[in-house]
Amino acid sequence: MNSIKIYTGQRKGVISKHIYGQFSEHLGRCIYEGFWVGEDSPIPNTNGIRNDVVEALKNINIPNLRWPGGCFADEYHWKDGVGPKSKRKYMINTHWGGVVENNHFGTHEFLMLCDMLECEPYICGNVGSGTVQEMSEWIEYITFDGQSPMAKWRRENGREKPWKLKFFGVGNENWGCGGNMRPEYYADEYRRYQTYCRNYGDNKLFKIACGPNSGDYHWIEVMMKEAGNMMDGLSLHYYTVEGDRWEEKGSALEFDEKGWFQLMKHTLLMEEMVTKHSAIMDVYDPQKKVALVVDEWGTWHRVEPGTNPGFLYQQNTLRDALVAGTNLNIFNNHCDRVRMTAIAQVVNVLQAMILTEGGKMLLTPTYHVFDMYKVHQEAELVHSIVNCGDYEFGGEKIPQINVSASVDASEKLHVTICNLNPNKAAHIRLDLADFKPSAVRGRILTSDTMNKHNTFENPNALTPVDFKGCTAAQSGLKLELPKMSIVQLELSK
Ligand code: AHR
């Protein structure tokens, strides 16, 4: 019989809440429409930011929000986005649809949004087309409390006190859209730019360098060797696409079992990448001072028919939910090194939590996974061993089940389990060693249909419900996990 063994006595470190981070870029309808509707909008808003989206995101405890990109970050000039809106410069968003950006959402609006969401801002600076001085002055503008040109300008723009800013990215994808650099060159640029990212007063920056694209192990090696002692985090970007090549993206809604299997197989590569990148980091940083920050991940499908190809708007099904649940299990299990991530992206772009259409809003299946998994935030990872069968398709196989488990401050044990097989339930013995639960509660996200999703007409077609497939057994529990399901269990002593 399949089994999962959990050893609550074997604690493996804290699962940082920042693993549950989000990414928001000036791309398509993420910032404009997704968050920003303007003060005059009929859509209920606070100072121009829509209330429904903020409220929904607060419910999943988002810990950080990355901005302004992505590729947009390396062509963004922050000074164009402060001061009276009517005087702000327009620019062309060359990466994303060639649309005109009016800069109405800038530094003040972003930091106000983070205050409303009660999350940490994570700002990504411009290395590709910006200057050292521009980056340095952005930090001075945001965080300096004394008399200086930038602090004075901030006050003139209506903000007396500085903000707190912890997470700062020194460029984005500088191996690609951020300047097409070689790692040797970027490592030197990183060293130079980060020198002028100053800590003012008691504000202490957590500096994040641009890390590799997927399995580029040379990039990470060079960065750790040449600049590892000057950073707090190193990023990794890996997106899950359906095809074997980047160009072979599939449809978000129309896929068969091959499309299902391929997506699961490709998302499980995250385990391999995190393991191998961590092993290289261990060579240069055995004490694990530098965090691996997976600040772009998630599914990348073809855009929805009829939408702007540069806007990356895609629907989101049970299949995406399993991708999210699987990745979050991987990150939790690697919490010693993976201490921060950001799924791409939070609203209306790629694997979003939320989709909007005018004044309407829906929560995607991925949102519900983040809701179910939020119990792991700041809890202690405990050792688990999965001994389950494989899911086979077309002569290939992948593990059917993946798991992570943690114990929170009140000693409640939470277990999150994904069954990737769209045809077969899993009967599992959950062995809890010496943890004797007196109460068990569970929630499940599942459906009989692989592409089940929520629409504006039927926004609650797929939502979590109580999990009933759990019975007592000797030294633990017996679980019956339906095919293609995500389960969250809460066990109290
Ligand atoms: O998330 C969309 C884009 O994907 C980001 O702008 C870029 O960093 C990545 O290539």
Side-chain angles (χ1 to χ4, degrees), residues 364-375:
T364 65
T366 299
Y367 173 96
H368 294 302
V369 171
F370 273 73
D371 192 24
M372 291 163 73
Y373 275 60
K374 69 186 177 193
V375 289

Side-chain angles (χ1 to χ4, degrees), residues 31-291:
I31 295 295
Y32 299 105
E33 289 189 45
F35 284 118
W36 180 258
V37 288
E39 291 93 339
D40 303 333
S41 171
I43 299 172
N45 68 86
T46 303
N47 301 327
I49 291 174
R50 56 191 295 169
N51 297 340
D52 52 356
V53 169
V54 167
E55 199 185 318
L57 291 175
K58 277 178 82 171
N59 175 53
I60 54 170
N61 296 349
I62 81 164
N64 67 67
L65 186 62
R66 181 172 184 251
W67 175 84
C71 293
F72 183 78
D74 281 279
E75 64 176 358
Y76 180 62
H77 299 285
W78 70 270
K79 292 182 184 177
D80 298 341
V82 297
K85 292 201 178 61
S86 58
K87 296 214 173 108
R88 292 190 193 172
K89 252 196 208 163
Y90 283 37
M91 67 178 281
I92 306 167
N93 190 336
T94 57
H95 280 291
W96 305 119
V99 294
V100 173
E101 158 72 53
N102 64 14
N103 271 310
H104 281 193
F105 189 93
T107 304
H108 289 248
E109 291 74 23
F110 172 66
L111 292 166
M112 173 177 71
L113 169 63
C114 291
D115 279 348
M116 290 161 75
L117 291 168
E118 294 170 23
C119 75
E120 298 264 7
Y122 170 15
I123 288 184
C124 185
N126 180 344
V127 170
S129 72
T131 64
V132 173
Q133 181 181 2
E134 181 183 8
M135 185 180 286
S136 173
E137 287 183 339
W138 200 4
I139 293 161
E140 179 189 325
Y141 184 93
I142 295 171
T143 63
F144 187 60
D145 200 10
Q147 296 303 321
S148 81
M150 291 302 116
K152 180 166 174 281
W153 194 24
R154 182 191 70 231
R155 292 190 187 102
E156 285 162 8
N157 289 333
R159 173 82 186 193
E160 178 58 35
K161 281 283 154 202
W163 288 275
K164 282 273 172 250
L165 175 64
K166 182 171 174 185
F167 299 115
F168 194 83
V170 181
N172 167 75
E173 297 196 351
N174 302 94
W175 37 261
C177 64
N180 284 308
M181 302 175 194
R182 292 168 299 107
E184 294 78 7
Y185 179 79
Y186 171 73
D188 280 347
E189 287 292 86
Y190 172 78
R191 292 167 66 102
R192 188 163 75 103
Y193 275 74
Q194 70 79 36
T195 303
Y196 303 94
C197 295
R198 305 290 191 195
N199 291 325
Y200 293 109
D202 61 359
N203 190 75
K204 171 99 176 65
L205 295 173
F206 183 99
K207 296 177 197 170
I208 300 170
C210 166
N213 177 18
S214 312
D216 183 348
Y217 300 109
H218 177 60
W219 183 283
I220 200 152
E221 174 113 39
V222 172
M223 285 306 296
M224 288 305 292
K225 190 165 166 207
E226 304 298 345
N229 60 342
M230 295 183 187
M231 63 179 75
D232 301 294
L234 186 55
S235 73
L236 165 66
H237 289 184
Y238 173 61
Y239 284 98
T240 304
V241 301
E242 191 180 298
D244 287 327
R245 292 184 315 125
W246 178 250
E247 299 74 33
E248 292 168 356
K249 302 194 184 68
S251 157
L253 290 179
E254 285 167 26
F255 54 87
D256 53 15
E257 190 179 346
K258 182 169 181 231
W260 174 282
F261 181 85
Q262 289 268 107
L263 205 76
M264 298 307 153
K265 184 178 86 175
H266 292 154
T267 218
L268 284 165
L269 289 177
M270 183 66 91
E271 171 68 38
E272 178 184 319
M273 275 174 222
V274 165
T275 304
K276 288 189 177 167
H277 284 303
S278 299
I280 295 170
M281 292 175 84
D282 284 349
V283 173
Y284 298 93
D285 173 32
Q287 292 176 330
K288 301 189 194 290
K289 289 189 192 145
V290 180

Side-chain angles (χ1 to χ4, degrees), residues 23 25 27 70-71 96 172-173 237 239 296 300 312 344-345 350:
F23 174 31
E25 181 166 10
L27 194 180
C71 293
W96 305 119
N172 167 75
E173 297 196 351
H237 289 184
Y239 284 98
E296 289 190 30
W300 194 315
L312 308 186
Q345 299 192 8
L350 298 175

